[in-house]
Amino acid sequence: MADASPRTDISTDVDTDEKNQMFDRGQYGLMAASDSSDRSKDKSDQKTLRRLAQNREAARKSRLRKKAYVQQLESSRLKLTQLEQELQRARQQGIFISSSGDQAHSMSGNGAMAFDVEYGRWLEEQNRQINELRSAVNSHAGDTELRIINDGILAHYDEIFRLKGVAAKTDVFHLLSGMWKTPAERCFLWLGGFRSSELLKLEPLTEQQLVGITNLQQSSQQAEDALSQGMEALQQSLAETLSSGSLGSSGSSGNVANYMGQMAMAMGKLGTLEGFIRQADNLRLQTLQQMHRILTTRQSARALLAIHDYFSRLRALSSLWLARPRE
């Protein structure tokens, strides 16, 4: 028993040391785990702070963009208001701005401008009808469908001639000058429009159709020649009226009366210009209608496409000419 006691003390001391070491290691592990957790938490906090900062910066930029966009809208609104006011003043003053790029020139009243707007709408509708007709021809649609589209296009031509008749009462010179058309179209202008006889160049025809188209072309040319001669006679008569006599230097009442008489005669002769425009448009419409009767439904459709393509190329030529490089 005396020998066992020291061994027991030694064993107890050893166990105590081991327990202390284990406790120290546990404490160290807990401290290390705590440090790791703290570092991980710090990293997570830093990421959160960076993300919040990024969100705040993105929100700030978004507010700036929105503010700039609102300012741009307001500026555009003010410019649009100014343009509308200028356009309204121009209409009141009778100013017309050509869509073909020509300089502004004075017009009496708003008749010319109103016609140009209506003509632009007419062109848009014609393009839609022609596209419909072209699709029907390419898809080999039946004659019934083609006939309906053809009739609609002819009725649409009738509409532009009606609009021109109204415009001629307001400003016949605007129609005669062709300022509502592109420069290349004006080069071939005849009495405010196209020569119908020049459009009767069609695809191979039957013998009977050829005779009918030839007769129609000849009659159209004769009517065109008669109208052209009438216009020449009117211009000559108008020139003689304006050049006869003189106002003189004394300014007497007799000379003034003669001058006023000259102007009255000239005004009366100018009034016949409206009739020339009306007759020329009637000839154009009648030629289209007669051509439609002579040809088959499918031939008529192709002829209407060819006529439209001809004027489209003239307008394209005008655009190319205006956009050409200048030295």
PDB file of all heavy atoms in Angstrom, residues 84-122:
ATOM      1  N   GLU A  84     -44.867  73.541 -84.664  1.00  0.00           N
ATOM      2  CA  GLU A  84     -46.299  73.625 -84.948  1.00  0.00           C
ATOM      3  C   GLU A  84     -46.750  75.075 -85.057  1.00  0.00           C
ATOM      4  O   GLU A  84     -47.565  75.417 -85.922  1.00  0.00           O
ATOM      5  CB  GLU A  84     -47.079  72.909 -83.847  1.00  0.00           C
ATOM      6  CG  GLU A  84     -46.929  71.395 -83.873  1.00  0.00           C
ATOM      7  CD  GLU A  84     -47.625  70.733 -82.704  1.00  0.00           C
ATOM      8  OE1 GLU A  84     -47.999  71.448 -81.753  1.00  0.00           O
ATOM      9  OE2 GLU A  84     -47.808  69.514 -82.738  1.00  0.00           O
ATOM     10  N   GLN A  85     -46.216  75.932 -84.201  1.00  0.00           N
ATOM     11  CA  GLN A  85     -46.571  77.351 -84.285  1.00  0.00           C
ATOM     12  C   GLN A  85     -46.067  77.974 -85.577  1.00  0.00           C
ATOM     13  O   GLN A  85     -46.780  78.752 -86.226  1.00  0.00           O
ATOM     14  CB  GLN A  85     -45.992  78.082 -83.072  1.00  0.00           C
ATOM     15  CG  GLN A  85     -46.640  77.698 -81.747  1.00  0.00           C
ATOM     16  CD  GLN A  85     -45.956  78.340 -80.557  1.00  0.00           C
ATOM     17  OE1 GLN A  85     -44.876  78.960 -80.695  1.00  0.00           O
ATOM     18  NE2 GLN A  85     -46.542  78.203 -79.377  1.00  0.00           N
ATOM     19  N   GLU A  86     -44.822  77.619 -85.975  1.00  0.00           N
ATOM     20  CA  GLU A  86     -44.279  78.139 -87.233  1.00  0.00           C
ATOM     21  C   GLU A  86     -45.080  77.640 -88.428  1.00  0.00           C
ATOM     22  O   GLU A  86     -45.332  78.391 -89.379  1.00  0.00           O
ATOM     23  CB  GLU A  86     -42.817  77.731 -87.366  1.00  0.00           C
ATOM     24  CG  GLU A  86     -41.904  78.406 -86.363  1.00  0.00           C
ATOM     25  CD  GLU A  86     -40.478  77.892 -86.434  1.00  0.00           C
ATOM     26  OE1 GLU A  86     -40.220  77.026 -87.291  1.00  0.00           O
ATOM     27  OE2 GLU A  86     -39.638  78.349 -85.653  1.00  0.00           O
ATOM     28  N   LEU A  87     -45.476  76.360 -88.374  1.00  0.00           N
ATOM     29  CA  LEU A  87     -46.270  75.813 -89.470  1.00  0.00           C
ATOM     30  C   LEU A  87     -47.619  76.504 -89.548  1.00  0.00           C
ATOM     31  O   LEU A  87     -48.114  76.803 -90.642  1.00  0.00           O
ATOM     32  CB  LEU A  87     -46.449  74.307 -89.278  1.00  0.00           C
ATOM     33  CG  LEU A  87     -47.273  73.576 -90.342  1.00  0.00           C
ATOM     34  CD1 LEU A  87     -46.633  73.738 -91.720  1.00  0.00           C
ATOM     35  CD2 LEU A  87     -47.401  72.096 -89.996  1.00  0.00           C
ATOM     36  N   GLN A  88     -48.221  76.776 -88.402  1.00  0.00           N
ATOM     37  CA  GLN A  88     -49.503  77.468 -88.388  1.00  0.00           C
ATOM     38  C   GLN A  88     -49.373  78.868 -88.956  1.00  0.00           C
ATOM     39  O   GLN A  88     -50.225  79.317 -89.742  1.00  0.00           O
ATOM     40  CB  GLN A  88     -50.043  77.520 -86.950  1.00  0.00           C
ATOM     41  CG  GLN A  88     -51.430  78.134 -86.820  1.00  0.00           C
ATOM     42  CD  GLN A  88     -52.487  77.331 -87.547  1.00  0.00           C
ATOM     43  OE1 GLN A  88     -52.350  76.127 -87.712  1.00  0.00           O
ATOM     44  NE2 GLN A  88     -53.537  77.983 -88.001  1.00  0.00           N
ATOM     45  N   ARG A  89     -48.293  79.560 -88.588  1.00  0.00           N
ATOM     46  CA  ARG A  89     -48.072  80.901 -89.150  1.00  0.00           C
ATOM     47  C   ARG A  89     -47.839  80.835 -90.650  1.00  0.00           C
ATOM     48  O   ARG A  89     -48.327  81.686 -91.402  1.00  0.00           O
ATOM     49  CB  ARG A  89     -46.873  81.558 -88.462  1.00  0.00           C
ATOM     50  CG  ARG A  89     -47.159  82.035 -87.038  1.00  0.00           C
ATOM     51  CD  ARG A  89     -46.079  82.983 -86.558  1.00  0.00           C
ATOM     52  NE  ARG A  89     -44.784  82.341 -86.505  1.00  0.00           N
ATOM     53  CZ  ARG A  89     -44.303  81.735 -85.424  1.00  0.00           C
ATOM     54  NH1 ARG A  89     -45.032  81.701 -84.307  1.00  0.00           N
ATOM     55  NH2 ARG A  89     -43.112  81.168 -85.430  1.00  0.00           N
ATOM     56  N   ALA A  90     -47.101  79.790 -91.089  1.00  0.00           N
ATOM     57  CA  ALA A  90     -46.847  79.645 -92.525  1.00  0.00           C
ATOM     58  C   ALA A  90     -48.142  79.404 -93.277  1.00  0.00           C
ATOM     59  O   ALA A  90     -48.356  79.939 -94.373  1.00  0.00           O
ATOM     60  CB  ALA A  90     -45.872  78.489 -92.771  1.00  0.00           C
ATOM     61  N   ARG A  91     -49.028  78.594 -92.692  1.00  0.00           N
ATOM     62  CA  ARG A  91     -50.312  78.354 -93.352  1.00  0.00           C
ATOM     63  C   ARG A  91     -51.140  79.625 -93.448  1.00  0.00           C
ATOM     64  O   ARG A  91     -51.801  79.889 -94.447  1.00  0.00           O
ATOM     65  CB  ARG A  91     -51.080  77.287 -92.574  1.00  0.00           C
ATOM     66  CG  ARG A  91     -50.518  75.880 -92.763  1.00  0.00           C
ATOM     67  CD  ARG A  91     -51.212  74.894 -91.844  1.00  0.00           C
ATOM     68  NE  ARG A  91     -50.742  73.539 -92.078  1.00  0.00           N
ATOM     69  CZ  ARG A  91     -51.043  72.503 -91.309  1.00  0.00           C
ATOM     70  NH1 ARG A  91     -51.812  72.680 -90.235  1.00  0.00           N
ATOM     71  NH2 ARG A  91     -50.590  71.293 -91.600  1.00  0.00           N
ATOM     72  N   GLN A  92     -51.108  80.408 -92.375  1.00  0.00           N
ATOM     73  CA  GLN A  92     -51.859  81.656 -92.382  1.00  0.00           C
ATOM     74  C   GLN A  92     -51.316  82.636 -93.408  1.00  0.00           C
ATOM     75  O   GLN A  92     -52.061  83.419 -93.999  1.00  0.00           O
ATOM     76  CB  GLN A  92     -51.837  82.277 -90.990  1.00  0.00           C
ATOM     77  CG  GLN A  92     -52.596  81.464 -89.946  1.00  0.00           C
ATOM     78  CD  GLN A  92     -52.432  82.022 -88.547  1.00  0.00           C
ATOM     79  OE1 GLN A  92     -51.660  82.970 -88.333  1.00  0.00           O
ATOM     80  NE2 GLN A  92     -53.150  81.455 -87.587  1.00  0.00           N
ATOM     81  N   GLN A  93     -49.996  82.592 -93.628  1.00  0.00           N
ATOM     82  CA  GLN A  93     -49.364  83.500 -94.579  1.00  0.00           C
ATOM     83  C   GLN A  93     -49.324  82.943 -95.990  1.00  0.00           C
ATOM     84  O   GLN A  93     -48.907  83.620 -96.920  1.00  0.00           O
ATOM     85  CB  GLN A  93     -47.936  83.816 -94.126  1.00  0.00           C
ATOM     86  CG  GLN A  93     -47.880  84.546 -92.782  1.00  0.00           C
ATOM     87  CD  GLN A  93     -46.467  84.661 -92.256  1.00  0.00           C
ATOM     88  OE1 GLN A  93     -45.526  84.218 -92.911  1.00  0.00           O
ATOM     89  NE2 GLN A  93     -46.307  85.249 -91.076  1.00  0.00           N
ATOM     90  N   GLY A  94     -49.753  81.683 -96.156  1.00  0.00           N
ATOM     91  CA  GLY A  94     -49.777  81.097 -97.492  1.00  0.00           C
ATOM     92  C   GLY A  94     -48.423  80.661 -97.974  1.00  0.00           C
ATOM     93  O   GLY A  94     -48.089  80.815 -99.144  1.00  0.00           O
ATOM     94  N   ILE A  95     -47.582  80.120 -97.079  1.00  0.00           N
ATOM     95  CA  ILE A  95     -46.247  79.667 -97.456  1.00  0.00           C
ATOM     96  C   ILE A  95     -46.295  78.170 -97.667  1.00  0.00           C
ATOM     97  O   ILE A  95     -46.797  77.429 -96.835  1.00  0.00           O
ATOM     98  CB  ILE A  95     -45.213  80.006 -96.384  1.00  0.00           C
ATOM     99  CG1 ILE A  95     -45.183  81.516 -96.165  1.00  0.00           C
ATOM    100  CG2 ILE A  95     -43.831  79.498 -96.762  1.00  0.00           C
ATOM    101  CD1 ILE A  95     -44.755  82.291 -97.379  1.00  0.00           C
ATOM    102  N   PHE A  96     -45.738  77.705 -98.800  1.00  0.00           N
ATOM    103  CA  PHE A  96     -45.707  76.279 -99.116  1.00  0.00           C
ATOM    104  C   PHE A  96     -44.273  75.804 -99.163  1.00  0.00           C
ATOM    105  O   PHE A  96     -43.433  76.425 -99.803  1.00  0.00           O
ATOM    106  CB  PHE A  96     -46.371  76.018-100.466  1.00  0.00           C
ATOM    107  CG  PHE A  96     -46.062  74.669-101.043  1.00  0.00           C
ATOM    108  CD1 PHE A  96     -46.507  73.513-100.421  1.00  0.00           C
ATOM    109  CD2 PHE A  96     -45.300  74.564-102.179  1.00  0.00           C
ATOM    110  CE1 PHE A  96     -46.211  72.281-100.941  1.00  0.00           C
ATOM    111  CE2 PHE A  96     -44.992  73.328-102.711  1.00  0.00           C
ATOM    112  CZ  PHE A  96     -45.454  72.191-102.098  1.00  0.00           C
ATOM    113  N   ILE A  97     -43.963  74.711 -98.488  1.00  0.00           N
ATOM    114  CA  ILE A  97     -42.629  74.118 -98.502  1.00  0.00           C
ATOM    115  C   ILE A  97     -42.699  72.830 -99.281  1.00  0.00           C
ATOM    116  O   ILE A  97     -43.389  71.889 -98.894  1.00  0.00           O
ATOM    117  CB  ILE A  97     -42.125  73.864 -97.082  1.00  0.00           C
ATOM    118  CG1 ILE A  97     -42.093  75.189 -96.306  1.00  0.00           C
ATOM    119  CG2 ILE A  97     -40.753  73.235 -97.107  1.00  0.00           C
ATOM    120  CD1 ILE A  97     -41.672  75.020 -94.865  1.00  0.00           C
ATOM    121  N   SER A  98     -42.000  72.746-100.393  1.00  0.00           N
ATOM    122  CA  SER A  98     -42.074  71.574-101.256  1.00  0.00           C
ATOM    123  C   SER A  98     -41.378  70.386-100.624  1.00  0.00           C
ATOM    124  O   SER A  98     -40.308  70.508-100.052  1.00  0.00           O
ATOM    125  CB  SER A  98     -41.421  71.885-102.607  1.00  0.00           C
ATOM    126  OG  SER A  98     -41.352  70.728-103.395  1.00  0.00           O
ATOM    127  N   SER A  99     -41.960  69.195-100.749  1.00  0.00           N
ATOM    128  CA  SER A  99     -41.355  67.970-100.221  1.00  0.00           C
ATOM    129  C   SER A  99     -40.201  67.496-101.081  1.00  0.00           C
ATOM    130  O   SER A  99     -39.449  66.625-100.695  1.00  0.00           O
ATOM    131  CB  SER A  99     -42.416  66.865-100.140  1.00  0.00           C
ATOM    132  OG  SER A  99     -42.953  66.608-101.425  1.00  0.00           O
ATOM    133  N   SER A 100     -40.049  68.030-102.275  1.00  0.00           N
ATOM    134  CA  SER A 100     -38.981  67.597-103.173  1.00  0.00           C
ATOM    135  C   SER A 100     -37.686  68.367-102.939  1.00  0.00           C
ATOM    136  O   SER A 100     -36.730  68.219-103.672  1.00  0.00           O
ATOM    137  CB  SER A 100     -39.423  67.783-104.631  1.00  0.00           C
ATOM    138  OG  SER A 100     -39.716  69.138-104.895  1.00  0.00           O
ATOM    139  N   GLY A 101     -37.667  69.221-101.923  1.00  0.00           N
ATOM    140  CA  GLY A 101     -36.425  69.913-101.591  1.00  0.00           C
ATOM    141  C   GLY A 101     -36.327  71.297-102.186  1.00  0.00           C
ATOM    142  O   GLY A 101     -35.311  71.967-102.018  1.00  0.00           O
ATOM    143  N   ASP A 102     -37.353  71.794-102.870  1.00  0.00           N
ATOM    144  CA  ASP A 102     -37.309  73.131-103.432  1.00  0.00           C
ATOM    145  C   ASP A 102     -37.457  74.160-102.311  1.00  0.00           C
ATOM    146  O   ASP A 102     -37.986  73.893-101.238  1.00  0.00           O
ATOM    147  CB  ASP A 102     -38.420  73.322-104.460  1.00  0.00           C
ATOM    148  CG  ASP A 102     -38.228  72.421-105.654  1.00  0.00           C
ATOM    149  OD1 ASP A 102     -37.084  72.287-106.121  1.00  0.00           O
ATOM    150  OD2 ASP A 102     -39.219  71.835-106.097  1.00  0.00           O
ATOM    151  N   GLN A 103     -37.032  75.370-102.574  1.00  0.00           N
ATOM    152  CA  GLN A 103     -37.127  76.424-101.589  1.00  0.00           C
ATOM    153  C   GLN A 103     -38.586  76.841-101.423  1.00  0.00           C
ATOM    154  O   GLN A 103     -39.426  76.641-102.291  1.00  0.00           O
ATOM    155  CB  GLN A 103     -36.280  77.622-102.012  1.00  0.00           C
ATOM    156  CG  GLN A 103     -34.788  77.317-102.029  1.00  0.00           C
ATOM    157  CD  GLN A 103     -33.985  78.523-102.435  1.00  0.00           C
ATOM    158  OE1 GLN A 103     -34.532  79.500-102.931  1.00  0.00           O
ATOM    159  NE2 GLN A 103     -32.694  78.458-102.219  1.00  0.00           N
ATOM    160  N   ALA A 104     -38.853  77.413-100.259  1.00  0.00           N
ATOM    161  CA  ALA A 104     -40.212  77.857 -99.985  1.00  0.00           C
ATOM    162  C   ALA A 104     -40.588  78.992-100.929  1.00  0.00           C
ATOM    163  O   ALA A 104     -39.780  79.823-101.298  1.00  0.00           O
ATOM    164  CB  ALA A 104     -40.312  78.327 -98.529  1.00  0.00           C
ATOM    165  N   HIS A 105     -41.847  78.973-101.340  1.00  0.00           N
ATOM    166  CA  HIS A 105     -42.312  80.055-102.179  1.00  0.00           C
ATOM    167  C   HIS A 105     -43.746  80.382-101.788  1.00  0.00           C
ATOM    168  O   HIS A 105     -44.478  79.564-101.254  1.00  0.00           O
ATOM    169  CB  HIS A 105     -42.219  79.702-103.671  1.00  0.00           C
ATOM    170  CG  HIS A 105     -42.990  78.474-104.034  1.00  0.00           C
ATOM    171  ND1 HIS A 105     -42.521  77.203-103.774  1.00  0.00           N
ATOM    172  CD2 HIS A 105     -44.195  78.322-104.621  1.00  0.00           C
ATOM    173  CE1 HIS A 105     -43.382  76.311-104.196  1.00  0.00           C
ATOM    174  NE2 HIS A 105     -44.420  76.963-104.707  1.00  0.00           N
ATOM    175  N   SER A 106     -44.141  81.611-102.081  1.00  0.00           N
ATOM    176  CA  SER A 106     -45.422  82.110-101.621  1.00  0.00           C
ATOM    177  C   SER A 106     -46.551  81.521-102.433  1.00  0.00           C
ATOM    178  O   SER A 106     -46.462  81.313-103.633  1.00  0.00           O
ATOM    179  CB  SER A 106     -45.449  83.638-101.738  1.00  0.00           C
ATOM    180  OG  SER A 106     -46.706  84.134-101.330  1.00  0.00           O
ATOM    181  N   MET A 107     -47.653  81.218-101.722  1.00  0.00           N
ATOM    182  CA  MET A 107     -48.856  80.715-102.365  1.00  0.00           C
ATOM    183  C   MET A 107     -50.047  81.540-101.884  1.00  0.00           C
ATOM    184  O   MET A 107     -50.081  82.006-100.750  1.00  0.00           O
ATOM    185  CB  MET A 107     -49.091  79.242-102.006  1.00  0.00           C
ATOM    186  CG  MET A 107     -48.128  78.285-102.685  1.00  0.00           C
ATOM    187  SD  MET A 107     -48.417  78.208-104.448  1.00  0.00           S
ATOM    188  CE  MET A 107     -47.049  77.189-104.963  1.00  0.00           C
ATOM    189  N   SER A 108     -51.019  81.699-102.736  1.00  0.00           N
ATOM    190  CA  SER A 108     -52.220  82.414-102.345  1.00  0.00           C
ATOM    191  C   SER A 108     -53.157  81.453-101.651  1.00  0.00           C
ATOM    192  O   SER A 108     -53.692  80.542-102.270  1.00  0.00           O
ATOM    193  CB  SER A 108     -52.893  83.016-103.587  1.00  0.00           C
ATOM    194  OG  SER A 108     -53.219  81.995-104.517  1.00  0.00           O
ATOM    195  N   GLY A 109     -53.318  81.640-100.334  1.00  0.00           N
ATOM    196  CA  GLY A 109     -54.210  80.775 -99.589  1.00  0.00           C
ATOM    197  C   GLY A 109     -53.573  79.436 -99.282  1.00  0.00           C
ATOM    198  O   GLY A 109     -52.397  79.196 -99.529  1.00  0.00           O
ATOM    199  N   ASN A 110     -54.392  78.540 -98.746  1.00  0.00           N
ATOM    200  CA  ASN A 110     -53.911  77.237 -98.320  1.00  0.00           C
ATOM    201  C   ASN A 110     -54.312  76.130 -99.282  1.00  0.00           C
ATOM    202  O   ASN A 110     -54.119  74.959 -98.975  1.00  0.00           O
ATOM    203  CB  ASN A 110     -54.453  76.918 -96.915  1.00  0.00           C
ATOM    204  CG  ASN A 110     -53.929  77.876 -95.869  1.00  0.00           C
ATOM    205  OD1 ASN A 110     -52.828  78.377 -95.992  1.00  0.00           O
ATOM    206  ND2 ASN A 110     -54.724  78.152 -94.861  1.00  0.00           N
ATOM    207  N   GLY A 111     -54.883  76.457-100.428  1.00  0.00           N
ATOM    208  CA  GLY A 111     -55.343  75.433-101.358  1.00  0.00           C
ATOM    209  C   GLY A 111     -54.221  74.545-101.867  1.00  0.00           C
ATOM    210  O   GLY A 111     -54.366  73.321-101.933  1.00  0.00           O
ATOM    211  N   ALA A 112     -53.075  75.150-102.217  1.00  0.00           N
ATOM    212  CA  ALA A 112     -51.944  74.378-102.733  1.00  0.00           C
ATOM    213  C   ALA A 112     -51.407  73.438-101.674  1.00  0.00           C
ATOM    214  O   ALA A 112     -51.131  72.262-101.941  1.00  0.00           O
ATOM    215  CB  ALA A 112     -50.848  75.323-103.226  1.00  0.00           C
ATOM    216  N   MET A 113     -51.255  73.928-100.450  1.00  0.00           N
ATOM    217  CA  MET A 113     -50.732  73.089 -99.381  1.00  0.00           C
ATOM    218  C   MET A 113     -51.685  71.944 -99.066  1.00  0.00           C
ATOM    219  O   MET A 113     -51.260  70.801 -98.857  1.00  0.00           O
ATOM    220  CB  MET A 113     -50.486  73.929 -98.125  1.00  0.00           C
ATOM    221  CG  MET A 113     -49.943  73.129 -96.952  1.00  0.00           C
ATOM    222  SD  MET A 113     -49.614  74.156 -95.502  1.00  0.00           S
ATOM    223  CE  MET A 113     -48.200  75.087 -96.087  1.00  0.00           C
ATOM    224  N   ALA A 114     -52.977  72.248 -99.042  1.00  0.00           N
ATOM    225  CA  ALA A 114     -53.964  71.203 -98.767  1.00  0.00           C
ATOM    226  C   ALA A 114     -53.922  70.125 -99.844  1.00  0.00           C
ATOM    227  O   ALA A 114     -54.011  68.925 -99.543  1.00  0.00           O
ATOM    228  CB  ALA A 114     -55.360  71.815 -98.683  1.00  0.00           C
ATOM    229  N   PHE A 115     -53.772  70.534-101.095  1.00  0.00           N
ATOM    230  CA  PHE A 115     -53.704  69.553-102.173  1.00  0.00           C
ATOM    231  C   PHE A 115     -52.452  68.692-102.048  1.00  0.00           C
ATOM    232  O   PHE A 115     -52.513  67.475-102.269  1.00  0.00           O
ATOM    233  CB  PHE A 115     -53.710  70.245-103.533  1.00  0.00           C
ATOM    234  CG  PHE A 115     -53.449  69.300-104.671  1.00  0.00           C
ATOM    235  CD1 PHE A 115     -54.429  68.420-105.119  1.00  0.00           C
ATOM    236  CD2 PHE A 115     -52.207  69.269-105.294  1.00  0.00           C
ATOM    237  CE1 PHE A 115     -54.182  67.527-106.150  1.00  0.00           C
ATOM    238  CE2 PHE A 115     -51.949  68.380-106.324  1.00  0.00           C
ATOM    239  CZ  PHE A 115     -52.947  67.515-106.756  1.00  0.00           C
ATOM    240  N   ASP A 116     -51.324  69.294-101.712  1.00  0.00           N
ATOM    241  CA  ASP A 116     -50.087  68.525-101.570  1.00  0.00           C
ATOM    242  C   ASP A 116     -50.217  67.470-100.473  1.00  0.00           C
ATOM    243  O   ASP A 116     -49.714  66.354-100.614  1.00  0.00           O
ATOM    244  CB  ASP A 116     -48.912  69.461-101.275  1.00  0.00           C
ATOM    245  CG  ASP A 116     -48.572  70.347-102.458  1.00  0.00           C
ATOM    246  OD1 ASP A 116     -48.890  69.955-103.588  1.00  0.00           O
ATOM    247  OD2 ASP A 116     -48.011  71.430-102.251  1.00  0.00           O
ATOM    248  N   VAL A 117     -50.873  67.819 -99.390  1.00  0.00           N
ATOM    249  CA  VAL A 117     -51.093  66.851 -98.308  1.00  0.00           C
ATOM    250  C   VAL A 117     -51.982  65.716 -98.802  1.00  0.00           C
ATOM    251  O   VAL A 117     -51.699  64.532 -98.562  1.00  0.00           O
ATOM    252  CB  VAL A 117     -51.715  67.552 -97.085  1.00  0.00           C
ATOM    253  CG1 VAL A 117     -52.131  66.527 -96.031  1.00  0.00           C
ATOM    254  CG2 VAL A 117     -50.732  68.549 -96.486  1.00  0.00           C
ATOM    255  N   GLU A 118     -53.056  66.067 -99.486  1.00  0.00           N
ATOM    256  CA  GLU A 118     -53.966  65.044-100.002  1.00  0.00           C
ATOM    257  C   GLU A 118     -53.274  64.165-101.048  1.00  0.00           C
ATOM    258  O   GLU A 118     -53.508  62.949-101.107  1.00  0.00           O
ATOM    259  CB  GLU A 118     -55.202  65.705-100.620  1.00  0.00           C
ATOM    260  CG  GLU A 118     -56.114  66.389 -99.617  1.00  0.00           C
ATOM    261  CD  GLU A 118     -56.713  65.399 -98.630  1.00  0.00           C
ATOM    262  OE1 GLU A 118     -56.923  64.228 -99.013  1.00  0.00           O
ATOM    263  OE2 GLU A 118     -56.968  65.795 -97.485  1.00  0.00           O
ATOM    264  N   TYR A 119     -52.432  64.778-101.853  1.00  0.00           N
ATOM    265  CA  TYR A 119     -51.714  64.001-102.865  1.00  0.00           C
ATOM    266  C   TYR A 119     -50.752  63.012-102.204  1.00  0.00           C
ATOM    267  O   TYR A 119     -50.592  61.873-102.664  1.00  0.00           O
ATOM    268  CB  TYR A 119     -50.948  64.926-103.799  1.00  0.00           C
ATOM    269  CG  TYR A 119     -50.135  64.199-104.844  1.00  0.00           C
ATOM    270  CD1 TYR A 119     -50.759  63.466-105.850  1.00  0.00           C
ATOM    271  CD2 TYR A 119     -48.741  64.234-104.816  1.00  0.00           C
ATOM    272  CE1 TYR A 119     -50.022  62.792-106.815  1.00  0.00           C
ATOM    273  CE2 TYR A 119     -48.002  63.562-105.772  1.00  0.00           C
ATOM    274  CZ  TYR A 119     -48.645  62.851-106.765  1.00  0.00           C
ATOM    275  OH  TYR A 119     -47.898  62.175-107.715  1.00  0.00           O
ATOM    276  N   GLY A 120     -50.101  63.438-101.114  1.00  0.00           N
ATOM    277  CA  GLY A 120     -49.224  62.521-100.383  1.00  0.00           C
ATOM    278  C   GLY A 120     -49.994  61.324 -99.843  1.00  0.00           C
ATOM    279  O   GLY A 120     -49.528  60.181 -99.921  1.00  0.00           O
ATOM    280  N   ARG A 121     -51.179  61.567 -99.314  1.00  0.00           N
ATOM    281  CA  ARG A 121     -52.017  60.468 -98.826  1.00  0.00           C
ATOM    282  C   ARG A 121     -52.466  59.583 -99.980  1.00  0.00           C
ATOM    283  O   ARG A 121     -52.534  58.350 -99.838  1.00  0.00           O
ATOM    284  CB  ARG A 121     -53.234  61.027 -98.092  1.00  0.00           C
ATOM    285  CG  ARG A 121     -52.889  61.769 -96.796  1.00  0.00           C
ATOM    286  CD  ARG A 121     -54.109  62.444 -96.219  1.00  0.00           C
ATOM    287  NE  ARG A 121     -53.781  63.163 -94.982  1.00  0.00           N
ATOM    288  CZ  ARG A 121     -54.611  64.024 -94.386  1.00  0.00           C
ATOM    289  NH1 ARG A 121     -55.803  64.252 -94.910  1.00  0.00           N
ATOM    290  NH2 ARG A 121     -54.241  64.634 -93.264  1.00  0.00           N
ATOM    291  N   TRP A 122     -52.763  60.219-101.099  1.00  0.00           N
ATOM    292  CA  TRP A 122     -53.193  59.449-102.267  1.00  0.00           C
ATOM    293  C   TRP A 122     -52.088  58.502-102.731  1.00  0.00           C
ATOM    294  O   TRP A 122     -52.342  57.352-103.072  1.00  0.00           O
ATOM    295  CB  TRP A 122     -53.587  60.399-103.398  1.00  0.00           C
ATOM    296  CG  TRP A 122     -54.101  59.707-104.627  1.00  0.00           C
ATOM    297  CD1 TRP A 122     -55.394  59.346-104.891  1.00  0.00           C
ATOM    298  CD2 TRP A 122     -53.339  59.271-105.756  1.00  0.00           C
ATOM    299  NE1 TRP A 122     -55.474  58.709-106.109  1.00  0.00           N
ATOM    300  CE2 TRP A 122     -54.242  58.654-106.657  1.00  0.00           C
ATOM    301  CE3 TRP A 122     -51.988  59.340-106.080  1.00  0.00           C
ATOM    302  CZ2 TRP A 122     -53.818  58.115-107.868  1.00  0.00           C
ATOM    303  CZ3 TRP A 122     -51.568  58.795-107.290  1.00  0.00           C
ATOM    304  CH2 TRP A 122     -52.468  58.196-108.174  1.00  0.00           C
TER     305      TRP A 122
END
